[in-house]
Amino acid sequence: MLSERRLEVLRAIVQDYVGTEEPVGSKALTERHRLGVSPATVRNDMAALEDEGYIAQPHTSAGRIPTDKGYRLFVDRLAGVKPLTAPERRAIQNFLDGAVDLDDVVGRTVRLLAQLTRQVAVVQYPSLTRSTVRHVELLAMAPARVMLVLITDTGRVEQRMIDCPAPFGETSLADLRARLNSRVAGRRFTDVPQLVQDLPEAFETEDRGTVATVLSTLLETLVEETEERLMIGGTANLTRFAHDFPLTIRPVLEALEEQVVLLKLLGEAKDSGMTVRIGHENAHEGLNSTSVVSVGYGSGGEAVAKLGVVGPTRMDYPGTMGAVRAVARYVGQILAES
Amino acid sequence: MLSERRLEVLRAIVQDYVGTEEPVGSKALTERHRLGVSPATVRNDMAALEDEGYIAQPHTSAGRIPTDKGYRLFVDRLAGVKPLTAPERRAIQNFLDGAVDLDDVVGRTVRLLAQLTRQVAVVQYPSLTRSTVRHVELLAMAPARVMLVLITDTGRVEQRMIDCPAPFGETSLADLRARLNSRVAGRRFTDVPQLVQDLPEAFETEDRGTVATVLSTLLETLVEETEERLMIGGTANLTRFAHDFPLTIRPVLEALEEQVVLLKLLGEAKDSGMTVRIGHENAHEGLNSTSVVSVGYGSGGEAVAKLGVVGPTRMDYPGTMGAVRAVARYVGQILAES
DNA sequence: TGCTGGCACTCGCACGCACTGAGTGCCAAG
DNA sequence: CTTGGCACTCAGTGCGTGCGAGTGCCAGCA
């Protein structure tokens, strides 16, 4: 059990280390913080904190730096979420309000987050699985060729070209379009399969093959595109921790390029509320020296996707968390309006 | 005027420097290349080459490295384009053949290029301005709300939501859709404006406002989306030149994030044939220590977009040019098939 | 029991210095 | 025009030294 003062010492160490990026010693601590005790006392506390594994020294005659466990305690018990300033909020709103379509919203969000946190930003596109269908369109491109266009409530559009087993008349196509939309429009993606199950039966025998093909393509699209997309930005910020270069950033850049890795990362985060994963808490090895702050966002009360930032474990957690939360809220609003 | 042998010396210097990444001296040159002359002679040649500005020495007692001007000469007169090996060609084909849609094609291309060249790959989406319209679709989302979907011959899809000034009936909508498509389907984007100019006149007065709104949105989309999109990959390869870190890669990463910069960069390249821009030939300051190899690609004989790689000036030009050209060809084929 | 000042100790780091060797420019001879 | 020889330059390396930040421990005091 750690005394109140020792927690205070840990907090001071984290804050100083985040600020200076250098190991912090007992003397510097007493000078920069009003702890009300002498360096010697702080040394004792630091020894205790080190025994407990919250801090460590890089080498014998150096100050201490927080361990992953230390950051964890800091985030959980010692730090709040720092709200943004009014000008920052206004800037966010203005910047996001200019977006013209979904791509633009996501693009702006990623730039905004990267700029605010000065770290790498990751924004997931609104997920199809948690979205609802706004409209399904079928376009005859040729006698036996149909284009399927799928539009979600968040404005995302997916299209597929379908080669039909037999020519398909314009009236049949219109019929299918109407039946399809009346069943699935406004419904959740996950519900679609059973909603269209018996649709072929409503058609003439000669058209059933085509209807089945269209439906299976639709279902495929739902499944395949569950493979989410995401956008990243601010990688140039990685160069800010130029110390342990390039050993550190190489694996991080590689991890960022593997969208699968990132998606898994975001997937592991809680669906609601903010998630902070520190250092080795991240399953992916390349990200062992980074922390990931993520949060879900959505147009209504419910989260349809996640966004967050990836930065060094030595990051300004309160500020980062504040920025991430604020951006998520505004993006949610924008999506709800559009 | 440079003698044949001096050119040969320059070629040897470039090759060795690209291979070893270290300044190359006269002795090492005569050992690694069969120049048939002594180091002393080579020294004289090197002095001449330095006078002409083709090579330079980082400091007095070091070997020489090529200057931008030296690389330029090398690319223009001393190096060919190294064709890929048969297995490489097969690998490309196999990899690209698996693509399901345009996003996938571009994504795979970028990964492929990054892998083949071990550098940063940039692929521009097929440009709208040089594309033709495959289909324009209008969907009634609400009585006075229409979604415009624009589909290009390269499979790219853009959509816009339109708030109409007045309710618009389903029959009017179908009418507009039919007229619109009969005029613009198969035509070039640049021709669209004049093709639809007099379209409102064909409608009842009460609908003209809406028709005009739809048309102006369509034209806006054409213009706005002329702002091209692109995808980049392989940024982790930047860490391979870990020497002049991070001074070098910081500005490069920043430039890569600014799509505008990249688009301008690609835009400055020739429309046909391969373009190599070396070091300071790149207008953007952050890319002064990199070279850009780019080439147009397209589904037919004509280029609809460009792709290329960004790497250190000290790169394997023949190999890189070979990979870029080959990939561009295969992507063109894939696009033509789909 | 807990805090404090004092003190000896550790060790990374910056600095100075000499040495080494790759590479050069110049020159006289072939 | 080429070549071998030669003196010169200078970045990089390894070593020894001093400095100082920081520590751990201990005895004294509240």
Side-chain angles (χ1 to χ4, degrees):
Chain A
M1 192 72 295
L2 292 169
S3 75
E4 198 55 39
R5 196 190 57 227
R6 289 195 176 156
L7 291 177
E8 197 54 44
V9 169
L10 177 58
R11 165 189 282 148
I13 290 174
V14 171
Q15 286 176 349
D16 274 23
Y17 184 59
V18 166
T20 65
E21 310 204 355
E22 272 168 18
V24 19
S26 55
K27 199 176 157 209
L29 262 197
T30 54
E31 283 166 3
R32 303 186 33 145
H33 300 265
R34 302 204 157 276
L35 294 170
V37 292
S38 76
T41 310
V42 171
R43 278 206 287 284
N44 288 331
D45 291 342
M46 285 168 108
L49 285 168
E50 182 161 9
D51 281 346
E52 303 281 339
Y54 293 112
I55 57 179
Q57 23 185 359
H59 50 260
T60 320
S61 72
R64 308 301 219 287
I65 60 175
T67 60
D68 288 353
K69 189 177 171 188
Y71 285 121
R72 168 53 57 201
L73 184 62
F74 176 78
V75 168
D76 288 346
R77 300 188 40 198
L78 303 176
V81 175
K82 194 167 98 199
L84 298 191
T85 63
E88 280 174 323
R89 294 176 174 281
R90 244 175 290 133
I92 294 179
Q93 186 115 37
N94 284 340
F95 190 60
L96 289 183
D97 272 348
V100 301
D101 63 6
L102 184 65
D103 265 328
D104 202 19
V105 171
V106 174
R108 280 167 185 255
T109 305
V110 112
R111 265 177 290 161
L112 190 62
L113 251 187
Q115 222 170 300
L116 281 172
T117 62
R118 305 201 54 191
Q119 277 154 194
V120 179
V122 181
V123 179
Q124 190 180 14
Y125 277 72
S127 149
L128 288 191
T129 40
R130 272 170 284 186
S131 305
T132 58
V133 179
R134 183 185 274 170
H135 188 85
V136 176
E137 185 55 32
L138 299 172
L139 310 173
M141 307 302 296
R145 207 149 196 232
V146 171
M147 175 175 266
L148 170 75
V149 180
L150 178 66
I151 301 159
T152 80
D153 59 339
T154 48
R156 186 163 160 182
V157 179
E158 292 294 331
Q159 96 287 356
R160 283 284 183 285
M161 194 60 75
I162 305 172
D163 284 312
C164 308
F168 200 54
E170 185 59 52
T171 49
S172 305
L173 193 65
D175 189 18
L176 177 56
R177 183 190 298 130
R179 287 173 188 271
L180 207 48
N181 276 297
S182 74
R183 295 206 186 190
V184 303
R187 310 302 293 261
R188 310 185 128 263
F189 276 37
T190 41
D191 299 335
V192 170
Q194 59 181 21
L195 289 170
V196 300
Q197 207 172 2
D198 58 346
L199 210 48
E201 295 163 20
F203 287 81
E204 304 289 332
T205 325
E206 55 183 28
D207 283 342
R208 279 188 196 164
T210 296
V211 171
T213 307
V214 170
L215 291 181
S216 72
T217 305
L218 173 61
L219 299 183
E220 253 172 47
T221 308
L222 296 179
V223 175
E224 267 177 27
E225 291 299 315
T226 301
E227 166 212 327
E228 324 270 3
R229 288 176 57 202
L230 43 77
M231 189 176 276
I232 74 173
T235 47
N237 289 327
L238 283 176
T239 59
R240 285 195 308 122
F241 17 122
H243 309 260
D244 17 24
F245 247 127
L247 291 154
T248 322
I249 74 154
R250 175 69 182 266
V252 177
L253 273 176
E254 277 170 2
L256 292 176
E257 293 226 332
E258 288 295 328
Q259 307 224 332
V260 188
V261 170
L262 281 180
L263 287 167
K264 210 168 135 201
L265 206 66
L266 290 178
E268 284 166 358
K270 297 193 297 275
D271 268 3
S272 64
M274 195 141 26
T275 303
V276 180
R277 301 205 133 223
I278 298 166
H280 290 80
E281 294 170 10
N282 291 305
H284 188 78
E285 202 172 340
L287 298 174
N288 276 179
S289 59
T290 64
S291 288
V292 180
V293 176
S294 60
V295 68
Y297 71 91
S299 46
E302 205 170 355
V304 293
K306 289 170 188 160
L307 58 78
V309 308
V310 179
T313 49
R314 170 219 318 133
M315 71 162 68
D316 168 20
Y317 289 96
T320 304
M321 291 165 81
V324 167
R325 193 173 65 185
V327 169
R329 281 195 189 144
Y330 283 111
V331 176
Q333 284 179 22
I334 298 285
L335 287 182
E337 286 164 15
S338 68
Chain B
M1 189 77 291
L2 291 169
S3 75
E4 198 57 39
R5 196 191 56 228
R6 288 192 178 158
L7 291 177
E8 197 54 43
V9 169
L10 177 57
R11 165 189 283 147
I13 291 174
V14 171
Q15 286 176 350
D16 273 24
Y17 183 59
V18 166
T20 65
E21 311 203 356
E22 272 168 17
V24 20
S26 55
K27 198 176 156 210
L29 261 197
T30 55
E31 283 167 3
R32 302 186 34 144
H33 301 265
R34 303 203 156 276
L35 294 170
V37 291
S38 76
T41 309
V42 171
R43 278 205 289 282
N44 288 330
D45 291 342
M46 286 169 105
L49 286 168
E50 183 161 9
D51 280 345
E52 303 281 339
Y54 294 111
I55 55 179
Q57 22 185 359
H59 51 259
T60 319
S61 71
R64 308 301 218 288
I65 61 175
T67 60
D68 289 353
K69 188 178 171 189
Y71 285 122
R72 168 54 57 202
L73 185 62
F74 176 79
V75 168
D76 287 347
R77 300 188 39 198
L78 302 175
V81 175
K82 195 167 97 199
L84 298 191
T85 63
E88 281 174 322
R89 292 176 174 281
R90 244 174 292 133
I92 293 178
Q93 185 115 39
N94 284 340
F95 189 61
L96 290 183
D97 271 348
V100 301
D101 63 7
L102 184 66
D103 265 330
D104 201 18
V105 171
V106 174
R108 280 168 185 254
T109 305
V110 109
R111 266 176 288 161
L112 191 61
L113 251 186
Q115 225 171 298
L116 281 172
T117 62
R118 304 200 53 191
Q119 277 152 196
V120 179
V122 181
V123 179
Q124 189 180 15
Y125 276 73
S127 145
L128 287 190
T129 40
R130 274 171 283 186
S131 304
T132 57
V133 179
R134 184 185 271 170
H135 188 86
V136 177
E137 184 58 32
L138 299 172
L139 310 173
M141 308 302 295
R145 207 151 197 230
V146 171
M147 174 175 267
L148 169 75
V149 181
L150 178 66
I151 302 161
T152 80
D153 59 337
T154 48
R156 186 164 160 181
V157 179
E158 291 295 330
Q159 96 285 356
R160 284 285 183 286
M161 193 61 76
I162 305 171
D163 285 312
C164 307
F168 200 53
E170 184 60 51
T171 50
S172 305
L173 193 66
D175 188 19
L176 177 57
R177 182 190 298 132
R179 286 174 187 271
L180 207 48
N181 274 297
S182 74
R183 295 205 185 192
V184 303
R187 309 302 293 262
R188 310 185 128 263
F189 275 37
T190 41
D191 300 336
V192 170
Q194 59 180 23
L195 289 170
V196 300
Q197 208 173 0
D198 58 346
L199 209 49
E201 296 163 18
F203 288 80
E204 304 288 333
T205 325
E206 56 183 30
D207 284 341
R208 278 189 196 163
T210 297
V211 171
T213 307
V214 170
L215 290 182
S216 73
T217 305
L218 173 61
L219 299 183
E220 252 174 48
T221 308
L222 296 181
V223 175
E224 268 178 26
E225 290 298 315
T226 301
E227 167 212 327
E228 324 270 2
R229 286 176 57 203
L230 43 77
M231 189 177 277
I232 74 172
T235 47
N237 288 327
L238 283 176
T239 58
R240 284 196 309 123
F241 16 123
H243 308 260
D244 16 25
F245 247 128
L247 291 154
T248 322
I249 74 155
R250 175 69 184 267
V252 177
L253 274 176
E254 276 170 2
L256 291 176
E257 294 226 333
E258 287 295 328
Q259 307 225 332
V260 188
V261 170
L262 281 180
L263 288 166
K264 209 167 136 202
L265 206 67
L266 291 177
E268 283 166 359
K270 296 193 300 274
D271 269 4
S272 64
M274 195 143 23
T275 303
V276 180
R277 302 206 134 223
I278 298 167
H280 291 78
E281 295 170 11
N282 291 304
H284 189 78
E285 202 172 342
L287 299 174
N288 276 179
S289 59
T290 64
S291 287
V292 180
V293 176
S294 61
V295 67
Y297 71 92
S299 47
E302 204 171 355
V304 293
K306 289 171 187 159
L307 57 79
V309 307
V310 178
T313 49
R314 171 219 315 134
M315 71 161 69
D316 168 20
Y317 288 96
T320 303
M321 290 165 80
V324 168
R325 193 174 63 183
V327 169
R329 280 195 190 146
Y330 284 110
V331 176
Q333 284 181 21
I334 299 284
L335 287 182
E337 287 164 15
S338 65

